Amino acid sequence: PMPQRSQSTTALQALNLFNSPFVIERADVIAKRIEGQTAGNPADQVEQMFELVLGRPPEQTERSAAMDVIQQHGLSVLSRVLLNSNEFLFLP
Amino acid sequence: MLNRRNFLEQTVTGLSSIALTSLLNQESLLAATRPVIDPAQPHAPRQSPFRGAAKNVLVIFCAGACSQLETYDFKPELIKHDGQPLKDGPAVTFQGPSGNLARPQYEFRPRGESGKMVSDMIPHMAELVDDISFIHSLTSKSNTHGPAENYLSTGFVLDGFPSMGAWVTYALGTENQNLPAFVAIPDPRGVPQASVNNWGPGFLPAVFQGTPFSSTQPIQNLTAPETVSLNQDLAARELLQLINREHLQRNPGDSELAARIASYELAARMQLSVPEISDLSTESSTTLKMYGADSNNADKAAFARNCILSRRLIEQGVRFVQIFNGAYASGGKLNWDGHQKLKEQYDVHGEIMDQPVAALFKDLKQRGLLEETLVVWCTEFGRMPMFQKGAQGRDHNPQGFTAWLGGAGIKPGVSYGATDELGFKAVENVSSVHDLHATMLHLLGLDHTQLTFRHNGLERRLTDVHGHVIKEVLA
């Protein structure tokens, strides 16, 4: 009935993974790599980013939300998000 | 038919089934008092098994072993025997050969209405005597700073056990869901010797670990680097939420995923709440002055700001705050470890601690917060009545030292237990740190024998298999 040690996560871990310069830098590197492979087509970028980080294509809702985000805020926002996603960090 | 063999067989089975039932009952009793934690809301407030006097705890932890003989344990006999050897005393103590007995390095005088004798090192804290109770007979299991800090903060001298604050937040959660449940505030001069062990979760779920920050040290990675704009940050947060929620829908009922989403949500709320609570610009100049935050002494001003931060956290319903006065082992330079030049060093440390701690206590009182807050002042062990050979300071002494408690549920003006006439050893109502822990949990409505967590086949407790509530200090 209670979480075991291994299941527990803390706000400090979340802050580290979301904000630390290391993770931000890695997200930039991934974004640059995808940009280098895709000649500026946002749909391709979203597709390849999901394939690279999560090993699957995006779902429809994910695709459209991600397209909006990268067009407004740049591709490294998407790589930062995927590195922080539960799917990337856990095997349920 | 009942013959002798059958009789014996039946009786034995009968007895063992009684024993088994009794064991099972105990198991279910234990399970019933173990906190039930919703992984998606691990910090939700939980009711204590019985009504406690206190809701919150503030621990003021003096790292380095603050001498009982220079603070609260007045020993007129030690003045008389100044310069003489301690009869039948140890030839060698922790750090080396013993020198002669040395009188208290400060004058003592009666304080408040109770006339409790307190030293001139802490004139402001001396004004609190009528509101607090002393335990003069504490003993430690270790004479070494790191293990003794472990013992005081976790109940065990070894590394790896949950801290008091972790146990308390595991049991009770916290009232304020926007701030950490347990905050540790290291001294501006540095972290204590046992460092993160003092606020670690040990084998409890990591979510119950203390969050360290102070007026001088903000939470690490609380905000993204400046290269990330606010809009990028918000967009990332929103998209992450969407992706995690969709993922959770595809994996329903996985508490681990829900817990992690909860930790991100708390992190996001902390990005707003922590800068706000750390911003002392809303404090009046009277308050800043009262704590000594306007001091020219940078260490004192910074420690005073930590004390103000402590009050703000308690005020906002943070369950457990542990503030440190004194840093790591540094030959007594940065903490209370006065081996060589005790008086010279304590003049420095006393000045930093005295006014801010006294103001913190008085401020909690004037705001009515003491009614539901337990305040504990403590240190990992005491110091010897002798000076060390060839030195002007005292060596480690785990055999008798002082702590005080005040606020919720405490009967004020009690002096419980005593050391011998020279302050060498506890001789009356000898107490352990387990007793202190048992008393603290009791005040929160928790039975220290029932608050358990199963780890490696054992029902672990803060108090191990020890501890008695010190009823004499209870209101």
Side-chain angles (χ1 to χ4, degrees):
Chain A
M2 79 193 72
Q4 293 301 302
R5 180 68 173 83
S6 57
Q7 283 188 351
S8 178
T9 61
T10 76
L12 292 183
Q13 292 167 346
L15 287 171
N16 183 295
L17 206 61
F18 198 63
N19 290 332
S20 69
F22 174 75
V23 174
I24 298 290
E25 192 188 295
R26 290 300 99 195
D28 287 343
V29 169
I30 293 172
K32 284 212 178 73
R33 174 171 160 188
I34 298 289
E35 271 160 9
Q37 292 170 0
T38 51
N41 180 336
D44 287 354
Q45 289 177 342
V46 169
E47 208 72 21
Q48 290 203 22
M49 184 79 86
F50 270 79
E51 285 290 356
L52 179 66
V53 181
L54 300 181
R56 65 165 174 89
E59 305 278 340
Q60 192 43 48
T61 41
E62 291 171 334
R63 183 179 287 113
S64 62
M67 288 279 282
D68 284 354
V69 166
I70 68 165
Q71 281 170 319
Q72 281 185 57
H73 302 289
L75 192 54
S76 51
V77 175
L78 180 59
S79 40
R80 182 186 179 199
V81 165
L82 294 184
L83 290 179
N84 275 274
S85 68
N86 277 348
E87 184 170 351
F88 178 68
L89 294 158
F90 285 88
L91 293 175
Chain B
M1 176 172 165
L2 194 66
N3 59 25
R4 195 169 64 113
R5 185 177 299 260
N6 281 344
F7 172 76
L8 279 176
E9 257 177 32
Q10 282 175 11
T11 317
V12 170
T13 328
L15 281 179
S16 41
S17 62
I18 290 170
L20 184 63
T21 318
S22 147
L23 271 176
L24 286 172
N25 276 339
Q26 276 176 23
E27 275 291 306
S28 63
L29 272 177
L30 275 176
T33 53
R34 258 195 227 139
V36 178
I37 292 156
D38 173 2
Q41 291 179 292
H43 293 126
R46 289 179 281 277
Q47 206 152 34
S48 57
F50 62 92
R51 216 180 122 76
K55 275 174 71 179
N56 308 313
V57 182
L58 169 66
V59 174
I60 303 158
F61 189 122
C62 292
C66 182
S67 171
Q68 75 282 13
L69 298 165
E70 270 68 36
T71 49
Y72 297 109
D73 199 7
F74 177 52
K75 294 296 162 187
E77 284 298 309
L78 191 55
I79 303 173
K80 273 195 217 157
H81 291 90
D82 184 32
Q84 299 169 8
L86 171 63
K87 203 167 161 281
D88 301 324
V92 174
T93 53
F94 174 78
Q95 207 178 54
S98 301
N100 291 328
L101 292 167
R103 55 170 295 149
Q105 300 297 293
Y106 295 87
E107 294 299 320
F108 277 65
R109 59 193 85 238
R111 316 281 177 162
E113 286 187 16
S114 59
K116 175 79 181 175
M117 297 294 278
V118 179
S119 94
D120 280 353
M121 186 182 84
I122 44 173
H124 294 85
M125 288 168 68
E127 293 169 13
L128 310 177
V129 290
D130 292 337
D131 284 323
I132 60 182
S133 272
F134 295 89
I135 304 171
H136 284 305
S137 53
L138 278 177
T139 53
S140 179
K141 283 185 178 172
S142 172
N143 67 352
T144 307
H145 295 295
E149 285 186 8
N150 283 350
Y151 181 47
L152 183 51
S153 281
T154 74
F156 291 79
V157 292
L158 297 175
D159 290 2
F161 288 86
S163 55
M164 293 183 261
W167 277 111
V168 168
T169 49
Y170 159 66
L172 301 176
T174 187
E175 300 298 324
N176 188 325
Q177 299 303 306
N178 295 330
L179 285 166
F182 171 21
V183 176
I185 307 180
D187 188 281
R189 292 163 289 182
V191 293
Q193 185 66 15
S195 185
V196 297
N197 291 356
N198 286 296
W199 53 87
F203 42 74
L204 290 180
V207 74
F208 299 117
Q209 73 182 262
T211 299
F213 69 99
S214 72
S215 65
T216 51
Q217 283 288 319
I219 292 180
Q220 283 183 2
N221 304 309
L222 187 61
T223 51
E226 279 170 14
T227 51
V228 178
S229 76
L230 182 63
N231 284 336
Q232 285 176 320
D233 216 42
L234 291 172
R237 208 169 274 294
E238 216 173 291
L239 183 61
L240 177 63
Q241 207 170 41
L242 181 139
I243 289 176
N244 277 345
R245 294 222 174 272
E246 298 240 322
H247 180 246
L248 184 64
Q249 271 175 23
R250 293 196 299 273
N251 300 276
D254 191 323
S255 64
E256 194 173 341
L257 300 176
R260 196 158 175 286
I261 291 175
S263 78
Y264 267 76
E265 287 169 355
L266 174 59
R269 294 194 300 274
M270 276 164 54
Q271 290 193 309
L272 297 175
S273 65
V274 170
E276 196 178 302
I277 200 124
S278 309
D279 174 15
L280 306 188
S281 68
T282 53
E283 296 288 330
S284 72
S285 59
T286 321
T287 301
L288 295 174
K289 226 175 154 156
M290 173 183 170
Y291 280 79
D294 61 339
S295 171
N296 294 328
N297 177 335
D299 289 333
K300 178 178 174 181
F303 178 68
R305 296 176 80 81
N306 285 353
C307 286
I308 298 175
L309 177 63
S310 303
R311 188 215 79 219
R312 290 167 69 95
L313 292 165
I314 291 290
E315 206 168 29
Q316 293 301 314
V318 171
R319 183 72 73 199
F320 202 102
V321 177
Q322 188 159 345
I323 178 172
F324 292 84
N325 178 263
Y328 48 88
S330 46
K333 228 180 114 189
L334 305 173
N335 70 15
W336 293 99
D337 198 19
H339 284 282
Q340 299 296 320
K341 298 173 184 168
L342 184 136
K343 173 70 166 60
E344 200 178 294
Q345 292 175 331
Y346 275 28
D347 282 349
V348 174
H349 305 323
E351 170 69 16
I352 294 169
M353 170 175 72
D354 179 44
Q355 186 189 347
V357 166
L360 172 56
F361 192 89
K362 289 176 189 172
D363 202 12
L364 290 171
K365 186 179 179 185
Q366 77 183 9
R367 289 167 195 258
L369 295 166
L370 269 192
E371 282 160 36
E372 49 189 38
T373 306
L374 169 67
V375 182
V376 179
W377 178 91
C378 55
T379 189
E380 68 263 32
F381 44 71
R383 308 205 77 91
M384 290 288 173
M386 315 77 86
F387 272 172
Q388 292 176 233
K389 195 161 196 163
Q392 305 294 307
R394 306 184 188 279
D395 207 349
H396 303 175
N397 182 2
Q399 303 181 101
F401 56 103
T402 296
W404 58 254
L405 302 95
I410 294 296
K411 179 175 12 170
V414 176
S415 287
Y416 176 81
T419 52
D420 57 39
E421 59 182 15
L422 297 170
F424 177 53
K425 261 186 185 175
V427 290
E428 185 191 308
N429 291 323
V430 181
S431 309
S432 67
V433 167
H434 301 301
D435 299 336
L436 176 65
H437 289 156
T439 309
M440 291 170 70
L441 292 182
H442 175 85
L443 285 161
L444 288 161
L446 299 164
D447 178 343
H448 72 101
T449 65
Q450 299 285 302
L451 177 61
T452 64
F453 186 87
R454 194 168 185 83
H455 175 66
N456 281 352
L458 288 173
E459 290 291 335
R460 285 292 192 184
R461 293 164 26 189
L462 171 61
T463 53
D464 196 1
V465 294
H466 310 286
H468 298 280
V469 175
I470 302 175
K471 297 214 169 68
E472 287 79 355
V473 300
L474 303 180

